[in-house]
Amino acid sequence: MDPLSRRKMLIAGGAMGALGALGMAAPAQARSLWTWSPSGSVAGSGPGADPNWVWDEEADRLLASVIDRGDVPRVNQLLRSWTRNDQPLPDGLPRDLREFMDRARRLPSWADQDKLNLAARFNKTRGFYLNLLNGVGGGMLSTAIPREARAVYYSKGGADMEDRVAKTSKLGFAVGDLNAYQPDGHIVVEAVKTRLVHAAVRHLLPKSPGWARTSGGQKIPISQADILVTWHSLPTFAMRKLIEWKVPITRAESEAYLHLWQVTAHLLGIRDEYIPATWDAAEAQSRQLLDPVLGPTPEGVELTDILLGQLAEQTSPGSVDRPLVNALARYLVGDQVADWDGIPREPFWEAAIEAAWPKLVAFRESLIPLPLVPQLAWTIDEAVRQYIMFYLTKGRAVHIEIPDANRSF
């Protein structure tokens, strides 16, 4: 049996009961044939190969060599001092790694600095929503993505989820910084480091017996499709919810926010032929890549419990406790995903959030006056504030580093 607690196995077993005897493998295999056209990408053309069978060849060869040579500790130590977009790479890096990183850090020719600047201002004015959606919402979606949940659980980062969440938050908040793509910003650094981490995991994880037993037949993790699935759980999901919540957004802001994530996708190593050029193209790709693969796993249930437990523990000195955290997560991702994640039902808080959240959004957008906002809404507001502060703090305390081993049990 995989090293998961009995209680989480029972929860996950209940969620997967309807899937029958093949439930453990079904979500990871429920992938439709690739039909999305590269004509809808920022490149506008391309071979159109199924991204489930495309990885990051140059980075993968390089990181396998770095790991096998025993260079990881030295490289991680050197890269701790590399923190700004405009900063030269540290002296002492292996020559092959330096040459790759010098190329990987360049913005694509199609990057538009004006759009990136507008996206930064949009992140500032809408950060309250975006941090919540990309953090709690994206986090709950990620644990309902079987391949991602298992890759996280069995890789080195799965052994310390607080540290793992902090590193993910570091990348996320670098995207959302006002100076994200300015010389003194950090997103280029964090994205390139994350690309190196992905390549290292692709080399290491196939050696993990736990991952190999549960991978649903996948031989190499984190394909281009897998990265795109995660990508859609962030900007595509966030924009969809902002529209659903009737948050006022101009067309220019919408296009700029997409552009921010397009450039970030490029820096993460996603091929341009797979990066959606418009929100319509993103929605079409998300329906093909993300929707069919969502489902329950014991690992995802375990990770969800850890993530929500961390949030409740960090914010409990204020007015937030675990039932409210559970209900907020369920409100963001919906009942189906919440059930797959094993999130308990909280009838009081679920009803409260469903009633109060639209009014809270309307007040924040100056659409209704203060007297119409229920008092309970401010408890929810404080929960979100505490959440954002927790992740901001954690995001500044860690370094994204290359792993040199899998999780040990």
Side-chain angles (χ1 to χ4, degrees):
M1 174 178 278
D2 293 336
L4 299 166
S5 75
R6 175 175 172 80
R7 185 171 72 88
K8 298 305 178 300
M9 285 291 288
L10 290 173
I11 293 173
M16 291 188 289
L19 296 177
L22 297 179
M24 290 289 288
Q29 295 175 343
R31 295 173 182 267
S32 59
L33 294 176
W34 177 248
T35 60
W36 192 83
S37 172
S39 64
S41 71
V42 295
S45 63
D50 185 341
N52 281 292
W53 302 99
V54 180
W55 290 270
D56 192 351
E57 293 180 9
E58 183 181 7
D60 293 351
R61 288 194 301 270
L62 173 62
L63 266 294
S65 177
V66 170
I67 293 169
D68 293 344
R69 307 195 294 248
D71 282 343
V72 170
R74 178 167 65 97
V75 167
N76 281 335
Q77 186 60 41
L78 290 169
L79 289 181
R80 282 190 168 217
S81 64
W82 186 51
T83 60
R84 287 170 46 123
N85 296 339
D86 63 350
Q87 195 176 351
L89 291 169
D91 293 335
L93 287 175
R95 180 177 177 180
D96 52 358
L97 180 62
R98 170 183 289 278
E99 291 176 350
F100 172 79
M101 292 179 68
D102 271 332
R103 295 193 304 274
R105 68 186 296 186
R106 298 171 191 162
L107 298 189
S109 60
W110 44 265
D112 185 326
Q113 192 62 53
D114 290 337
K115 285 186 176 181
L116 293 174
N117 292 340
L118 177 56
R121 295 193 295 273
F122 178 71
N123 271 308
K124 181 179 180 181
T125 60
R126 297 291 183 264
F128 176 82
Y129 309 118
L130 293 172
N131 292 332
L132 176 66
L133 290 167
N134 288 330
V136 176
M140 295 304 96
L141 284 175
S142 72
T143 53
I145 300 168
R147 283 186 177 179
E148 182 167 353
R150 287 165 174 152
V152 169
Y153 188 87
Y154 291 106
S155 63
K156 188 175 183 178
D160 185 349
M161 280 306 295
E162 184 169 339
D163 181 69
R164 174 65 168 76
V165 170
K167 290 174 179 176
T168 302
S169 302
K170 192 175 180 70
L171 174 66
F173 280 106
V175 177
D177 278 349
L178 186 59
N179 63 342
Y181 279 97
Q182 296 296 326
D184 62 339
H186 310 285
I187 183 54
V188 174
V189 171
E190 306 304 351
V192 171
K193 287 183 179 180
T194 300
R195 184 177 178 183
L196 298 180
V197 170
H198 286 168
V201 171
R202 279 189 286 268
H203 180 62
L204 294 167
L205 204 54
K207 304 172 186 177
S208 163
W211 181 82
R213 286 196 303 270
T214 61
S215 65
Q218 189 182 37
K219 301 300 182 183
I220 304 173
I222 318 181
S223 67
Q224 292 275 293
D226 293 326
I227 303 175
L228 285 164
V229 165
T230 301
W231 189 91
H232 286 296
S233 74
L234 297 165
T236 308
F237 169 73
M239 183 55 66
R240 188 182 304 153
K241 298 300 287 189
L242 290 175
I243 293 171
E244 178 185 318
W245 292 345
K246 298 181 172 59
V247 176
I249 303 171
T250 68
R251 180 174 179 176
E253 287 173 331
S254 176
E255 292 178 353
Y257 185 64
L258 176 59
H259 190 68
L260 171 71
W261 281 95
Q262 289 168 334
V263 176
T264 303
H266 176 92
L267 290 174
L268 288 170
I270 297 177
R271 295 187 182 184
D272 287 358
E273 69 173 280
Y274 297 133
I275 301 174
T278 66
W279 283 118
D280 286 344
E283 284 287 354
Q285 190 185 84
S286 180
R287 286 192 294 272
Q288 185 169 60
L289 283 180
L290 175 61
D291 296 355
V293 303
L294 293 171
T297 61
E299 295 86 357
V301 172
E302 182 86 10
L303 294 174
T304 298
D305 186 64
I306 293 170
L307 294 175
L308 294 181
Q310 286 178 359
L311 174 56
E313 179 182 354
Q314 291 293 327
T315 58
S316 59
S319 57
V320 186
D321 57 15
R322 180 62 184 265
L324 175 52
V325 169
N326 291 340
L328 183 60
R330 184 173 283 272
Y331 180 75
L332 292 173
V333 298
D335 288 337
Q336 179 66 85
V337 171
D339 288 343
W340 283 335
D341 279 340
I343 302 173
R345 299 300 302 246
E346 308 289 352
F348 170 79
W349 280 113
E350 288 172 35
I353 291 174
E354 186 174 354
W357 185 259
K359 291 184 173 63
L360 183 60
V361 171
F363 171 72
R364 283 185 161 273
E365 301 305 320
S366 302
L367 300 177
I368 63 172
L370 178 60
L372 295 181
V373 182
Q375 184 62 37
L376 194 59
W378 301 113
T379 301
I380 299 168
D381 183 80
E382 178 62 17
V384 177
R385 287 180 181 277
Q386 291 283 351
Y387 162 79
I388 293 171
M389 184 58 64
F390 165 59
Y391 279 98
L392 275 170
T393 301
K394 292 296 178 183
R396 291 172 177 166
V398 298
H399 300 274
I400 296 176
E401 294 187 325
I402 301 167
D404 56 3
N406 292 313
R407 178 178 182 175
S408 59
F409 294 95

